Amino acid sequence: MYRARWHHVSYEFADLRELLAKATPPRAGDALAGIGARSATENVAAKMALADVPLARFLCEAVVPYEEDEVTRLIIDGHDAAAFAPVSHLTVGGFRDWLLSDAVDGAVLGALAPGLTPEMVAAVSKIMRNQDLILAARKVHLVTRFRNSIGLPGRLSVRLQPNHPTDDRRGIAASIVDGLLYGCGDAVIGVNPASDNVGRIVELLCMLDDIVARFAIPTQSCVLTHVTTTLEAIGRGAPVDLVFQSIGGTQAVNTSFGVTLALLEEARAAALALRRGTVGDNVMYFETGQGSALSADAHHGVDQQTLEARAYAVARRFAPLLVNTVVGFIGPEYLYDGKQIIRAGLEDHFCGKLLGLPMGCDVCYTNHAEADQDDMDVLLTLLGAAGVTFVMGVPGADDIMLNYQSTSFHDALYLRDVLSLRPAPEFAAWLARMGIADDAGRLLPEAPTRRLLEHVGGLAP
């Protein structure tokens, strides 16, 4: 039992699961699940009680039962007690103060990451202001590599997302050219396919590989199909760079996605065996989003933000190149408006960074949410200040296949310009060699548009 007193009223919380839920900033999904705070005063009382909880308590009280959930077993069995030792004496509130102190830098947090559990970082995020989340997260720079180096200080990468509603190869290729000419694509050129047909997936993989190879682009490609489809494509000899999969924070939600930890390990081994990386071997790409467990009725009464952090424990196990929180994609049933989306994006980025992940964010919303592009501009800028690893580059910021609003190639240029950020170094050098950008990263007016478009013309079926 956890207790707090606020405004002459005593509040009691039966267990950590209830305490974490009641301490979470207002969230549509938690209200839908009936687990959020019933009033602002109860929310404050829960934060006060949570601040006094020792971090070590999270190692002996699981929010999802150990016996029932392989994600919980992964978290507990994989905990690094030696890495945890420097903060093992702290409470959640003390941990917040420690994170924000000048004595703590990226090297300290990098060494600490294996000793932190998702529940610890979710807990401390719940008692932090937005500026706290930004200040702590920007200390961490986690570098991952495949054909370039992502996450270095002073760098911002972009996933070039050239989706098409019918998987038309010329349409996809035209969007790729558009993105490349705006200096985007160093995180990955990643297509969400409209079809899960293995033959079509192999065609798309070959097309992406042809573009990357033809122009010697130091980047990686990915078709964001189900992991089992990617495994079948590998079996057919397809040129797979990265294995993609959506994941969640409980075994039950991963089962709803059709995946297990063992299946993810099999897929990673298959991708590693291809040896397609040139500067590194981070071969996994994961996407997550607050509310996925609730939408699958797989939340165990745990708040959606804590479950999101638990998804990062799954990602961490497989040393990914990229982890992307698709923060507003699931809809207003889970994140109602721009304020909730902004807060969730900062929480996700902070929690992922503290757990040692290369965090990106799809700064996005659905058309029926109480949000607009001004909200996305705010979140994009805040994440840039917080040291986000990568963001999305979607033609016109409007994904015509997935039917949601994201960030555009122009938005990525804005963020790089206002914060003096550059693409991944290998990709920046390629942009200069191709005459797309100068040595300072500024786009050139005489880019090789004709040469790229002529190649697109040769991609017709």
Side-chain angles (χ1 to χ4, degrees), residues 146-147 188-189 205 208-209 212-213 217-223 230 234 238-244 267-268 270-272 274-278 280-285 321:
F146 189 76
R147 291 203 188 95
V188 64
I189 300 175
L205 286 165
L208 296 179
D209 184 61
V212 170
I217 309 172
T219 191
Q220 36 284 327
S221 65
C222 184
V223 175
T230 300
I234 291 174
V240 172
D241 289 344
L242 305 183
V243 174
F244 166 80
R268 179 170 181 262
L272 286 171
L274 297 178
R275 300 183 181 275
R276 292 178 57 81
T278 56
D281 61 359
N282 299 114
V283 296
M284 303 298 285
Y285 174 18
L321 181 76

Side-chain angles (χ1 to χ4, degrees), residues 241-391:
D241 289 344
L242 305 183
V243 174
F244 166 80
Q245 184 55 49
S246 294
I247 55 173
T250 70
Q251 180 177 334
V253 71
N254 287 326
T255 298
S256 76
F257 290 150
V259 297
T260 63
L261 299 182
L263 178 60
L264 293 175
E265 186 60 61
E266 177 187 353
R268 179 170 181 262
L272 286 171
L274 297 178
R275 300 183 181 275
R276 292 178 57 81
T278 56
V279 298
D281 61 359
N282 299 114
V283 296
M284 303 298 285
Y285 174 18
F286 294 116
E287 288 193 345
T288 65
Q290 289 194 28
S292 60
L294 178 58
S295 68
D297 194 24
H299 60 100
H300 295 269
V302 181
D303 69 274
Q304 65 183 39
Q305 190 253 333
T306 298
L307 291 179
E308 172 72 5
R310 282 169 55 96
Y312 303 153
V314 176
R316 181 169 63 177
R317 169 67 180 80
F318 301 101
L321 181 76
L322 307 166
V323 178
N324 180 33
T325 168
V326 192
V327 67
F329 182 73
I330 302 181
E333 300 85 356
Y334 308 97
L335 296 171
Y336 178 71
D337 57 13
K339 183 178 178 65
Q340 291 189 11
I341 292 171
I342 290 167
R343 174 69 189 189
L346 295 176
E347 289 169 348
D348 294 352
H349 179 253
F350 164 84
C351 289
K353 281 287 195 73
L354 255 64
L355 290 169
L357 291 174
M359 288 302 296
C361 183
D362 191 344
V363 178
C364 64
Y365 64 100
T366 57
N367 290 316
H368 61 309
E370 291 295 321
D372 58 28
Q373 210 64 40
D374 287 337
D375 296 314
M376 300 306 102
D377 287 349
V378 170
L379 178 54
L380 179 68
T381 306
L382 294 177
L383 286 169
V388 71
T389 300
F390 69 100
V391 296

